[in-house]
Amino acid sequence: MDGLKERKEAFVTGLTGGTITDVYVVTSISAVSYLIWCIIKKRTNLFENPRSVLSQLLDFLLNWNNLLLAVTIYANNISLLTFLILIPAVFILLTSKSKKYVQRVIRINFKTLTVKEYLPFKSYITIYRSQMMILTCICILAVDFPIFPRRFAKVETWGTSLMDLGVGSFAFSMGVITARAYLRQHFLGKYSYFRNLFRAIKGSLPILGLGVFRLLSVKYFNYQEHVTEYGKYWNFFFTLGCLPPLTNLLSPIILKVSPLILSLTIGTTYEYILTNRGLMRYIISSPRVDFLSDNKEGIFSLIGYFCICLNGLALGSMILTVVPTPHNLTKMTSSREDLMAYHKSGKKGL
């Protein structure tokens, strides 16, 4: 068992990743698949009944199978995969007519504007989050097999890879969705610091519980561990579980300064300490003698993930609302009265 464990650990150790362009090319299959899904939906009736076997099969082939092929069999020939999956779309475009849609002009009355109207459903966010989750699940299951290119697996120390993008995307997505709660509460004038903090801690308990379960199961079953990834006892569930309480704990500063500015400030300071104050040397080469040093990679990476989460928070405050909010580059939330005054003045800038 120990020999097998060591071989499996060696299989995911010492990796340097690939190029950023390579990551973009592979993940472009996600956008192509969604494009084809939209073409089929607009030009045919195949998705009229989402519960039908054919509809679910097409959904699986487009949103699961294409991503699986992109990171395995066609990993070195994405252009061919793109060509093959575009053939049916081109055929549909040439042989069918687009359905007629009636465009509606929406007039917004800020006095009667509801929360549901203020924060409408954004389909592209759902697509991004769902395909990110699908690709993450595929990569986690495929990384232990030779068919999964080593350049897609997490890097050891330096470099960029597809799986590194995945963990960052989770933190970014969490920030985007967290923005909805802040926007909703300030729009209604019901923001409460302690209530939000309590809810964040309560909501993080299941994720932290998964982290404990993973830790115990890995130790019990003697499963292979990549210690330099997060440390001896830390894992990504702990990182995800810490982000919501940390975000809400610092929410007065975030709402006052803006998440974008705070992210740049923390990120710049952290980078300076890493490169000029010996923190990088401590993380990479110091011995593991206590809890902090045992989990130094995971604990200190939390700062970087928090900055990514703040960037998602900043973007969410800009794209989730039905109308632009006042100064949304430097101010995250607005009340109903702020919106009325802003749009009544006719200002268009950020």
Side-chain angles (χ1 to χ4, degrees):
M1 176 63 74
D2 289 338
L4 177 61
K5 177 184 177 182
E6 291 171 358
R7 290 198 301 271
K8 288 186 175 181
E9 288 177 353
F11 190 59
V12 293
T13 300
L15 304 178
T16 58
T19 65
I20 296 178
T21 302
D22 192 27
V23 174
Y24 289 159
V25 170
V26 171
T27 53
S28 68
I29 292 298
S30 173
V32 174
S33 298
Y34 180 55
L35 172 64
I36 297 173
W37 185 90
C38 291
I39 292 174
I40 295 175
K41 184 175 178 63
K42 289 188 175 182
R43 294 296 186 107
T44 72
N45 296 320
L46 295 176
F47 288 128
E48 287 294 327
N49 181 12
R51 295 181 180 273
S52 68
V53 175
L54 180 59
S55 175
Q56 293 183 12
L57 178 61
L58 283 174
D59 200 352
F60 173 80
L61 291 175
L62 289 173
N63 295 312
W64 280 84
N65 192 63
N66 287 345
L67 294 176
L68 175 62
L69 293 175
V71 298
T72 52
I73 299 175
Y74 288 92
N76 296 319
N77 201 348
I78 296 297
S79 57
L80 176 59
L81 177 61
T82 303
F83 174 76
L84 292 175
I85 63 180
L86 280 175
I87 291 176
V90 174
F91 177 77
I92 292 173
L93 285 173
L94 295 176
T95 59
S96 62
K97 294 182 179 180
S98 179
K99 298 178 183 179
K100 293 183 179 180
Y101 292 92
V102 178
Q103 291 186 345
R104 296 185 302 168
V105 178
I106 301 176
R107 299 186 182 278
I108 298 175
N109 186 337
F110 289 100
K111 293 182 179 180
T112 60
L113 186 67
T114 64
V115 173
K116 188 175 181 179
E117 294 170 337
Y118 177 58
L119 297 169
F121 174 76
K122 303 283 187 176
S123 60
Y124 58 87
I125 296 179
T126 302
I127 294 297
Y128 160 67
R129 297 184 71 212
S130 61
Q131 297 216 349
M132 175 191 68
M133 177 64 74
I134 292 169
L135 189 57
T136 299
C137 293
I138 291 173
C139 290
I140 290 174
L141 294 173
V143 70
D144 292 326
F145 297 91
I147 197 172
F148 187 81
R150 295 299 89 194
R151 69 180 188 275
F152 292 162
K154 287 185 178 180
V155 300
E156 182 73 23
T157 305
W158 315 110
T160 303
S161 73
L162 180 63
M163 294 190 73
D164 289 314
L165 174 67
V167 293
S169 293
F170 264 93
F172 184 81
S173 174
M174 181 177 289
V176 172
I177 300 306
T178 301
R180 178 179 290 272
Y182 287 122
L183 291 168
R184 178 181 182 277
Q185 291 172 2
H186 281 80
F187 179 74
L188 296 175
K190 295 182 178 180
Y191 172 76
S192 172
Y193 173 76
F194 291 104
R195 181 178 59 195
N196 284 354
L197 183 59
F198 174 76
R199 287 179 177 176
I201 296 174
K202 182 180 178 181
S204 293
L205 291 179
I207 303 178
L208 295 173
L210 285 174
V212 174
F213 176 77
R214 185 189 185 282
L215 171 63
L216 295 177
S217 60
V218 165
K219 299 296 183 182
Y220 179 79
F221 292 107
N222 198 30
Y223 192 74
Q224 66 265 20
E225 296 180 85
H226 196 187
V227 177
T228 58
E229 184 179 1
Y230 292 106
K232 292 178 66 175
Y233 308 110
W234 199 272
N235 58 62
F236 190 58
F237 288 115
F238 291 141
T239 299
L240 283 181
C242 289
L243 288 178
L246 182 59
T247 302
N248 283 275
L249 183 66
L250 299 178
S251 59
I253 302 175
I254 294 172
L255 297 175
K256 187 73 174 179
V257 178
S258 96
L260 180 61
I261 295 175
L262 186 60
S263 170
L264 292 174
T265 302
I266 295 176
T268 302
T269 304
Y270 181 52
E271 182 68 18
Y272 173 78
I273 296 174
L274 272 174
T275 56
N276 295 283
R277 288 293 180 263
L279 181 57
M280 184 184 300
R281 184 171 60 254
Y282 170 78
I283 294 174
I284 294 176
S285 59
S286 67
R288 302 180 187 275
V289 295
D290 52 27
F291 178 81
L292 179 62
S293 59
D294 280 345
N295 304 281
K296 54 191 176 181
E297 295 89 351
I299 293 175
F300 286 106
S301 69
L302 183 61
I303 301 174
Y305 285 119
F306 179 59
C307 291
I308 295 174
C309 182
L310 289 177
N311 289 331
L313 203 61
L315 180 65
S317 66
M318 298 179 190
I319 66 175
L320 291 178
T321 57
V322 69
V323 291
T325 53
H327 313 292
N328 56 16
L329 190 62
T330 57
K331 182 180 179 182
M332 184 178 163
T333 56
S334 299
S335 64
R336 186 192 298 269
E337 291 72 22
D338 292 336
L339 288 170
M340 292 175 62
Y342 177 70
H343 288 276
K344 187 176 181 180
S345 66
K347 295 180 180 179
K348 301 296 182 183
L350 298 180

